[in-house]
Amino acid sequence: MVSIKDIAKKAGVSISTVSYALNGSTKVTKETSERIAAIAKELNYIPSAAARSLKKRETKIIGIYLTNYSGAFYGQLLQGMMETLSENGYELIVCSGKESHRFLPERMIDGAIILDATFQTEELLSHAERGHKLVVMDRKMDHPNISQVLLDNKAGATLAIDYLAEKGHKKIYVIKGPEESFDARQRLEAVQKAVQRYSHIEYVELNGEFNKSSGESAAKKIHKEFSEPVGVFCLNDEMAIGVFNYFSRTNMRIGEDVHVIGFDNIELSQYIQPRLATINYSKHKWGALASELLLKLIKKQDAEHERINVSLVEGDSVRNR
């Protein structure tokens, strides 16, 4: 690999002169700069990003940490991040897994957005103490180098339970999410509080993992226990689609026997029939806002915590009992 030492040798100048020329410094004459640039092109010289970042203490790259890449959830979220960062001269890389955690201490990225339940809070605090800038989307944290932008999960879960209750449902199943998920815990806490206002409702919790297969497994249990029309609140749309898939293979009908509401309003939920009732919010805005907050932290500007509002999308998957 060609280095500035090779360019300096061929040009007959010092390494520092080559460095000044390639970085556009006025310390080098225009004639010398042009000659050095021509030699660099001839030798196919590629600047070292690592060396440049060490010198400038920036890479212009932001990392988004995700628990995994599966499901239909992330597209609009990442698009919102990418557009905001691109407008400000930054690139986005998507990270997952323990090995990528070293990108922060090794300064391969200028900051990180966290939506990764496996990233330990203690580790994030340790990075923040060392001056790294972070925005969390999946937990509450208090540190000057950390800001947060969270969904109003509790409002969304309350809307879902109230919707089923208003439709006259007397038995409600709730398909939970993974225990390590902040969003799942927040939604479940709100559900447990909301059902206490309806003493006539029978309430049952079923395990789920925020994926279609766990929705199908929960639907199988509902099918076995079925005796009358029931309401089902899935803590995300992926599991709701799993419920649809299971009951499509039975003689029971969504919106007649089993009334389903999800959470997230992923694109696919708009096309399944009957239309899935769900909790909506702007994933694009969530991603964009997370990026804006991180850029403010990097620029040492005030970055107040933010919250993303939610709303109910009605659908024929839930009807009057």
Side-chain angles (χ1 to χ4, degrees):
M1 185 175 179
V2 176
S3 69
I4 61 172
K5 185 177 180 180
D6 300 314
I7 299 172
K9 183 177 180 180
K10 183 159 186 175
V13 298
S14 67
I15 292 174
S16 60
T17 298
V18 174
S19 179
Y20 285 136
L22 295 179
N23 284 287
S25 174
T26 56
K27 293 181 180 180
V28 181
T29 65
K30 181 180 178 182
E31 181 183 350
T32 301
S33 291
E34 289 175 349
R35 184 163 62 89
I36 289 171
I39 292 170
K41 184 176 181 181
E42 178 189 339
L43 295 177
N44 197 28
Y45 169 71
I46 300 173
S48 167
R52 184 170 63 250
S53 67
L54 282 172
K55 183 175 180 180
K56 295 185 177 181
R57 298 189 69 80
E58 65 176 12
T59 63
K60 291 292 184 179
I61 298 172
I62 297 300
I64 165 66
Y65 284 84
L66 305 176
T67 303
N68 57 60
Y69 304 137
S70 65
F73 172 79
Y74 295 114
Q76 294 177 43
L77 186 82
L78 294 175
Q79 187 69 23
M81 292 179 186
M82 185 186 72
E83 290 175 4
T84 300
L85 293 172
S86 179
E87 289 169 2
N88 288 274
Y90 283 79
E91 299 290 340
L92 179 71
I93 60 170
V94 182
C95 312
S96 184
K98 189 73 175 177
E99 280 300 310
S100 63
H101 290 195
R102 62 186 173 87
F103 293 171
L104 275 166
E106 292 180 9
R107 297 193 178 277
M108 297 171 71
I109 54 179
D110 292 345
I113 300 169
I114 311 297
L115 186 56
D116 181 353
T118 68
F119 215 130
Q120 297 299 313
T121 296
E122 294 76 14
E123 185 179 356
L124 294 175
L125 285 170
S126 176
H127 288 315
E129 280 295 311
R130 290 176 171 82
H132 299 291
K133 311 301 183 184
L134 308 168
V135 169
V136 293
M137 305 174 74
D138 61 355
R139 69 198 77 193
K140 294 180 179 179
M141 297 185 68
D142 184 20
H143 192 282
N145 287 326
I146 301 176
S147 190
Q148 62 193 36
V149 52
L150 306 178
L151 283 180
D152 198 344
N153 287 297
K154 292 188 175 182
T158 302
L159 282 172
I161 294 299
D162 287 346
Y163 184 53
L164 290 171
E166 289 163 7
K167 292 292 185 178
H169 293 284
K170 297 176 181 177
K171 184 171 184 178
I172 295 177
Y173 287 90
V174 172
I175 305 179
K176 303 184 292 184
E179 291 183 4
E180 67 273 15
S181 166
F182 173 82
D183 290 332
R185 293 196 307 271
Q186 291 268 298
R187 292 170 196 178
L188 184 60
E189 286 175 15
V191 166
Q192 292 168 342
K193 185 175 181 179
V195 294
Q196 291 176 9
R197 294 187 279 110
Y198 301 103
S199 58
H200 65 286
I201 288 179
E202 182 183 352
Y203 165 65
V204 181
E205 292 181 4
L206 297 175
N207 291 331
E209 290 295 331
F210 274 0
N211 55 38
K212 288 193 285 291
S213 61
S214 65
E216 292 198 33
S217 297
K220 186 175 181 179
K221 293 179 181 178
I222 294 169
H223 191 192
K224 285 181 178 179
E225 298 175 2
F226 185 82
S227 61
E228 61 179 335
V230 295
V232 182
F233 175 30
C234 303
L235 295 193
N236 83 340
D237 285 353
E238 290 269 336
M239 296 190 297
I241 291 169
V243 172
F244 269 64
N245 289 347
Y246 176 85
F247 282 109
S248 70
R249 303 190 294 269
T250 73
N251 60 0
M252 293 169 59
R253 295 291 174 260
I254 301 294
E256 295 179 16
D257 306 299
V258 181
H259 299 253
V260 184
I261 182 169
F263 198 120
D264 286 333
N265 196 25
I266 61 174
E267 186 174 4
L268 182 58
S269 69
Q270 302 172 34
Y271 304 114
I272 59 176
Q273 292 297 324
R275 206 285 188 205
L276 176 65
T278 187
I279 302 302
N280 179 54
Y281 55 92
S282 173
K283 287 168 279 297
H284 186 281
K285 180 180 179 181
W286 196 18
L289 194 51
S291 296
E292 289 172 9
L293 289 176
L294 184 55
L295 293 178
K296 285 182 178 180
L297 285 174
I298 291 170
K299 296 173 184 177
K300 298 182 179 179
Q301 300 173 353
D302 289 339
E304 297 293 331
H305 297 333
E306 298 281 359
R307 187 172 295 276
I308 300 296
N309 294 326
V310 300
S311 60
L312 172 69
V313 176
E314 297 188 22
D316 286 338
S317 64
V318 176
R319 296 176 184 169
N320 290 322
R321 186 179 182 282

